Amino acid sequence: MENKSRGNWQSQVGFIAAAAGSAVGLGNIWKFPYITGKYGGAAFVLVYLIIIIFIGVPLMNSELLVGRKSGKNALGAFKELAPKSSWWIVGAMGILAGFIILSYYSVIGGWATAYIFKSGAYMAAGADHANIFVGSITNPWAPLIWHAIFMLMCIGIVVAGIEKGIEKYTKILMPALLVIMLILIIRSVTLPGAGKGLAFYLKPDFSKLTAEGILAALGQAFFSLSLGMGCMITYGSYLKKDQDIPANSYWIAGADTAIAFLAGFAIFPAVFAFGLEPGAGPGLTFITLPAVFASMGAVGHVFGILFFFLLTIAALTSAISLLEVVCAYFIDEAKWDRKKATWIMGTIIFLLGIPSSLGQGVWSGVKIIGGRDILDSLDFIASNILLPLGGLLLCIFIGWYWGTDKAIEEANIGAKSIKLGATYSFLIKYVAPVAIFIVFLKSIGVF
Ligand code: PHE
């Protein structure tokens, strides 16, 4: 449905940039390396790639086509395609996931923003990079101010609306991020002792793979591709009929996976070269990369500032997609205007994020799920439970309720090179839902 008043993406490139902008973010550069390190390296990466291909890509197609077909937000899409049913609950779950994710995402976005200004500290001779990081996130006030600044930037862009806001900001800065990643990789792999990091990252040791690790890989695939919560439904709703959904899906998933993979290449060789701990947790990127910049001499300043600036932009283009999911619902369904929806929701989400920030320092004694702090627990609930569950239900919705024939028909309008067909159908009806279900059962210890 082309809907002039809601706005449409102006061009194919603009759409890919915006959707890839949603996908590429902290998930790739902060979270992917840190959980790869936590769950043992190469074997985890392999499982992750398999999940992207067999579950991620079909679901990317599915969300985009449901969005374009319905022309609606995450919840409205289900009401449109399945009136008088309870399927809207899947959309509601997605909006809830958006709330939760953005609340802590903005806290980490704040860390990244703060780091733009920390090159003086981490470039100093003999700087203790772990200490600088821990010091900066455990302080009760500073991270909250950065969280507020990050959220304000996010609100500013979403208020401007999708054509003026989202598309414009993504198109230019994404390629810049890619370039700086490549420079970082070159520096990282040429450090003495980098080889051990490459082995950790590329030589699978399956004895390190656990059920929890597989669930984490599944959750990370959803999180990184922005799937399972209606984000790509919402973005798909702004797609025009002549835009090519299958090709877009491959581009977005490909770009996202490539950037995550490159981030690992920049980080793991350096982790081992500097004698750091790959399983260090959420601080891994923020501790390792400054060490790489410091090893570059004076130009490290420039690269460091540029890198954290681009990371902040990448985080922002993801955060605006999260806020857009929440706001699109209130704009479409509750008929709020864009400004009101964005300010109210942005403020609520900011407040919701405060405990995640305090949980790094003054509230660090608060442990919720399996010894995880507040931020990690929210991430676990959202990424490892809500998103895969949302994906599972979307598979069941398309495969067993609405019909893959209708889905394929919609996706293939405007498809030029590759069209969806029997393989898509098989993956959505059987492979993806069964795999997600098994991972769930296994991770709660059913077998
Ligand atoms: N994909 C984003 C990232 O990797 C995070 C995100 C998750 C954005 C879910 C939107 C929806 O950083």
Side-chain angles (χ1 to χ4, degrees):
M1 188 192 290
E2 276 179 41
N3 185 334
K4 279 282 163 291
S5 62
R6 289 179 85 239
N8 282 301
W9 303 111
Q10 293 311 302
S11 66
Q12 177 91 357
V13 176
F15 170 74
I16 295 182
S22 164
V24 175
L26 295 165
N28 306 62
I29 294 164
W30 161 72
K31 198 174 165 196
F32 176 77
Y34 115 62
I35 58 168
T36 297
K38 182 167 166 194
Y39 292 109
F44 175 91
V45 176
L46 201 64
V47 172
Y48 176 76
L49 291 176
I50 292 170
I51 292 173
I52 292 283
I53 295 170
F54 293 103
I55 301 178
V57 172
L59 272 170
M60 179 68 73
N61 275 300
S62 303
E63 288 206 13
L64 292 178
L65 72 89
V66 162
R68 187 172 70 182
K69 177 79 189 171
S70 63
K72 291 278 162 62
N73 61 82
L75 192 152
F78 288 97
K79 282 211 225 151
E80 177 83 20
L81 301 184
K84 300 195 216 44
S85 74
S86 304
W87 283 104
W88 60 270
I89 294 171
V90 181
M93 263 176 49
I95 292 165
L96 177 71
F99 258 97
I100 297 176
I101 295 175
L102 186 53
S103 75
Y104 65 82
Y105 200 89
S106 169
V107 171
I108 304 153
W111 299 353
T113 317
Y115 255 79
I116 301 174
F117 305 96
K118 283 200 177 22
S119 71
Y122 64 70
M123 293 297 293
D128 180 339
H129 299 110
N131 244 337
I132 294 172
F133 175 69
V134 172
S136 72
I137 64 165
T138 50
N139 179 302
W141 289 107
L144 283 182
I145 292 167
W146 289 111
H147 166 44
I149 291 172
F150 186 84
M151 203 64 206
L152 280 173
M153 294 193 285
C154 190
I155 290 172
I157 300 170
V158 174
V159 165
I162 60 153
E163 311 96 321
K164 273 177 260 126
I166 297 172
E167 213 172 307
K168 188 171 97 190
Y169 287 85
T170 3
K171 235 179 342 203
I172 320 153
L173 293 155
M174 294 271 302
L177 182 66
L178 195 66
V179 172
I180 199 145
M181 293 289 301
L182 292 173
I183 296 171
L184 272 174
I185 291 171
I186 295 170
R187 173 70 275 218
S188 188
V189 298
T190 53
L191 287 166
K196 272 207 229 112
L198 288 174
F200 176 84
Y201 191 43
L202 300 175
K203 242 174 84 192
D205 173 358
F206 288 99
S207 67
K208 288 194 194 146
L209 206 59
T210 57
E212 193 190 320
I214 296 174
L215 176 68
L218 181 72
Q220 172 63 12
F222 277 90
F223 184 87
S224 192
L225 293 178
S226 306
L227 292 174
M229 51 154 287
C231 185
M232 292 299 167
I233 295 181
T234 306
Y235 272 25
S237 73
Y238 305 116
L239 268 175
K240 295 179 190 164
K241 287 288 187 203
D242 62 350
Q243 286 172 331
D244 185 334
I245 287 181
N248 274 316
S249 300
Y250 299 120
W251 273 107
I252 302 161
D256 185 69
T257 308
I259 301 254
F261 196 65
L262 291 179
F265 254 112
I267 289 175
F268 289 110
V271 165
F272 284 82
F274 295 128
L276 300 167
E277 178 49 55
L284 190 67
T285 298
F286 288 94
I287 295 167
T288 309
L289 291 183
V292 176
F293 297 127
S295 78
M296 291 174 148
V299 294
H301 264 295
V302 180
F303 284 121
I305 294 169
L306 207 60
F307 172 80
F308 284 108
F309 169 74
L310 292 170
L311 180 61
T312 303
I313 300 289
L316 262 177
T317 57
S318 300
I320 57 183
S321 73
L322 286 157
L323 189 56
E324 178 68 21
V325 169
V326 175
C327 292
Y329 166 72
F330 287 93
I331 294 167
D332 289 355
E333 309 292 315
K335 307 282 177 247
W336 290 9
D337 68 38
R338 178 166 279 276
K339 207 166 155 190
K340 172 175 163 193
T342 312
W343 276 104
I344 293 181
M345 293 304 137
T347 309
I348 295 175
I349 293 168
F350 166 75
L351 296 173
L352 213 66
I354 293 175
S356 289
S357 182
L358 295 180
Q360 307 304 313
V362 283
W363 289 357
S364 60
V366 182
K367 303 283 184 224
I368 306 175
I369 295 174
R372 291 176 173 85
D373 65 21
I374 301 172
L375 191 158
D376 269 358
S377 298
L378 289 178
D379 184 36
F380 182 86
I381 294 167
S383 305
N384 294 10
I385 299 174
L386 288 177
L387 299 185
L389 192 60
L392 173 65
L393 292 171
L394 185 66
C395 289
I396 297 172
F397 173 76
I398 292 181
W400 301 95
Y401 182 84
W402 189 53
T404 47
D405 45 341
K406 284 190 211 145
I408 290 171
E409 192 191 311
E410 173 64 32
N412 286 346
I413 303 172
K416 279 136 211 133
S417 41
I418 319 152
K419 295 194 188 266
L420 297 191
T423 312
Y424 166 79
S425 221
F426 183 67
L427 291 173
I428 284 294
K429 281 178 92 151
Y430 306 102
V431 178
V434 170
I436 297 171
F437 195 60
I438 291 176
V439 175
F440 267 146
L441 291 186
K442 180 116 184 106
S443 64
I444 57 170
V446 171
F447 57 88

